[in-house]
Amino acid sequence: MHNHIFQGETMKINLNEIIDPTEGHITVSVDTKGHRHARFDLQGLPRVESLLVGKSAAEALKMTERLCGLCPVAHHLAGTRALDGLVGVRVKSYAEMVRRLLHYGSMIEAHSLRFIAVDREAGITLKQFSKQMLTGAGSPGHFPDTATPGGIQVEPKLEDLQVVADGLETACAAAQRVAVALQNQGRGTQVQTEMPFADVALIDDSGYPDVFGTRVRIAHNGEVLEDFDFSQWPEKIAEEIPGSPAPRPYIVTLGKKMGRYRVGPVAQLSVGKVSTPRAASLQAQWLSAPPDAALARAIISLHVLELSGEIVSQLMKTSENYHLDEQASTTKQWQAGISTGLVDGPRGILAHTYEVNAEGIITRAVILTPTAQNEPWLAALLTAATTGDTDETRREAALEQSIREADPCLPISSAPPGQMGLKLDIVNES
């Protein structure tokens, strides 16, 4: 996954040297009362925001796109959205739709790999279609090249959009088939935590869940606790251990103890009813049982595919009337300030916050990944798994299921059953 090298005048970091993509490390500490507390080790996923400081905004964006080989589009779009407010240009609706298509394509690409084990034909169909969506949005390669602060820097080709339009119904049917198969096979090994985790996901202006929305909703057990514009993210979400790979983020209004939360497909389906009919029908059934990330991924995939139909139709109708905005080119007039951009990606909300001076140089940066946000939830799931069933085989299955549920940004999250490569250390506290 993280196999890219970034170089500056005095530094070089090869992320492949510090991350083992085939192994997950779980530490279980046993306190003096015999209670177990498990943690998934994130030390191999370093915070790299300091590498961006002193770089131009354009250079920093290219670096962030290559921070994660699994989520390059999410970083591309979150970083671009963070800088949109600092170029003094309103993103036009056409450019916004192109960005949406790019984001939706990246979500289908990420989720489709999980679907192959459920329905091989459907998974492959969705994987191939996701590449057509990304091409339609102007980014045919693995690393995106579509968005730029203030707009987009490539115009979609009409023939590429037509390919997407022609394949949408087949893709929707494939996603629905996966969802129904997952419903029919049941929830499998389930590990639940009794800790009260809120759900945090993006919504649109009408309050519907929206993975490319501009508002954030915090909910718990179906009750909405708070809605706010994503520009307020730094005020609403704080890190208990700032700068740490496992920063233990929390909702400020709820405090450190009660303010833990989760992001990702489970949260995306838990903060409100989705707006598309086929996905909404499946969501209603999903909500009637304990939350399950595997099925949630299929429902979210169907949802964004349903939304893509209208987007592609509008892009094809208006493409002749759109021309790249000169302000959204490589030359920009920067406004000094602080800005935050969010996207709700395959693993959940990714937040980029940048402080930029008038020359477009980044003077401060904070990136909060879904993996870092879900670490407390994953710790609780792992703790429940290690203190539950004493049968070693079932306990190992529960540990693996916990990791798949919270889905840390490592390839082991999608490893076949029994092949996750977990290393378990038990430490007795004196």
Side-chain angles (χ1 to χ4, degrees):
M1 178 188 66
H2 302 264
N3 56 355
H4 308 288
I5 298 175
F6 302 122
Q7 291 181 294
E9 295 179 359
T10 59
M11 65 85 188
K12 172 179 175 180
I13 180 170
N14 188 340
L15 296 182
N16 202 44
E17 294 177 357
I18 55 179
I19 295 172
D20 183 350
T22 65
E23 183 178 85
H25 187 187
I26 300 170
T27 299
V28 180
S29 59
V30 183
D31 63 25
T32 54
K33 296 182 179 180
H35 298 149
R36 294 189 170 200
H37 308 276
R39 287 276 185 92
F40 188 85
D41 186 5
L42 296 184
Q43 294 305 311
L45 295 172
R47 300 286 288 262
V48 295
E49 297 100 316
S50 61
L51 303 182
L52 308 182
V53 176
K55 302 291 189 299
S56 69
E59 184 181 7
L61 279 176
K62 286 299 179 186
M63 291 173 66
T64 58
E65 290 161 13
R66 286 157 174 77
L67 289 178
C68 180
L70 297 181
C71 307
V73 170
H75 282 283
H76 173 67
L77 291 171
T80 302
R81 290 182 119 185
L83 295 170
D84 281 341
L86 301 176
V87 294
V89 177
R90 182 180 177 84
V91 180
K92 294 179 179 178
S93 60
Y94 184 90
E96 187 73 6
M97 286 190 290
V98 173
R99 291 181 177 191
R100 275 186 176 273
L101 182 61
L102 179 72
H103 184 49
Y104 292 170
S106 72
M107 293 195 70
I108 298 301
E109 181 178 41
H111 290 329
S112 66
L113 298 176
R114 308 293 184 85
F115 301 155
I116 291 175
V118 180
D119 183 324
R120 180 174 175 79
E121 182 182 351
I124 291 174
T125 294
L126 289 168
K127 172 64 175 176
Q128 293 173 339
F129 186 69
S130 71
K131 299 304 292 184
Q132 294 172 345
M133 295 175 74
L134 295 170
T135 298
S139 289
H142 180 68
F143 294 105
D145 194 38
T146 295
T148 189
I152 55 176
Q153 57 190 358
V154 293
E155 293 186 61
K157 298 177 181 178
L158 194 59
E159 57 267 31
D160 292 333
L161 292 172
Q162 185 64 58
V163 170
V164 178
D166 292 343
L168 263 170
E169 181 51 42
T170 298
C172 284
Q176 188 164 10
R177 196 163 72 241
V178 171
V180 171
L182 286 167
Q183 276 186 332
N184 291 338
Q185 75 180 32
R187 301 297 172 99
T189 302
Q190 285 295 299
V191 178
Q192 301 296 329
T193 170
E194 295 180 359
M195 291 181 65
F197 286 89
D199 292 297
V200 179
L202 294 188
I203 59 172
D204 63 19
D205 290 338
S206 299
Y208 289 105
D210 181 0
V211 295
F212 203 62
T214 57
R215 296 187 62 77
V216 179
R217 171 168 290 167
I218 300 172
H220 185 256
N221 290 334
E223 178 186 354
V224 176
L225 304 181
E226 197 170 0
D227 285 357
F228 56 89
D229 187 272
F230 74 34
S231 63
Q232 297 176 275
W233 179 267
E235 306 162 28
K236 302 292 187 176
I237 303 295
E239 297 181 20
E240 182 179 349
I241 313 172
S244 167
R248 312 292 285 181
Y250 62 94
I251 300 163
V252 172
T253 53
L254 298 180
K256 296 178 183 178
K257 185 176 180 180
M258 301 299 296
R260 305 300 182 192
Y261 64 94
R262 63 188 170 192
V263 297
V266 169
Q268 291 160 2
L269 288 185
S270 297
V271 299
K273 182 180 178 181
V274 297
S275 59
T276 56
R278 283 188 275 188
S281 176
L282 289 164
Q283 181 193 25
Q285 299 174 60
W286 180 85
L287 289 169
S288 66
D292 168 64
L295 179 53
R297 293 183 191 106
I299 297 172
I300 286 293
S301 295
L302 177 59
H303 173 54
V304 299
L305 286 168
E306 288 185 276
L307 291 172
S308 296
E310 179 61 26
I311 289 175
V312 172
S313 176
Q314 289 298 318
L315 287 174
M316 294 177 70
K317 289 178 182 178
T318 58
S319 61
E320 293 183 359
N321 299 322
Y322 180 82
H323 301 285
L324 291 180
D325 195 319
E326 187 175 330
Q327 288 276 29
S329 65
T330 55
T331 301
K332 301 177 178 65
Q333 297 296 317
W334 294 100
Q335 300 174 353
I338 302 174
S339 185
T340 296
L342 271 62
V343 295
D344 213 343
R347 288 173 167 81
I349 288 177
L350 171 65
H352 282 228
T353 299
Y354 302 139
E355 184 171 358
V356 175
N357 64 22
E359 286 72 45
I361 303 299
I362 292 182
T363 58
R364 186 173 68 89
V366 178
I367 298 175
L368 192 55
T369 66
T371 298
Q373 293 173 80
N374 278 336
E375 186 271 334
W377 176 40
L378 176 54
L381 290 170
L382 293 172
T383 297
T386 58
T387 56
D389 201 320
T390 57
D391 179 83
E392 185 175 350
T393 300
R394 288 195 295 267
R395 186 171 61 231
E396 182 176 338
L399 288 170
E400 289 195 0
Q401 181 61 26
S402 297
I403 293 171
R404 290 192 181 89
E405 196 76 6
D407 200 16
C409 194
L410 288 168
I412 63 167
S413 297
S414 55
Q419 299 181 35
M420 195 168 277
L422 298 180
K423 180 181 179 182
L424 188 66
D425 288 341
I426 299 179
V427 180
N428 292 306
E429 298 179 352
S430 57

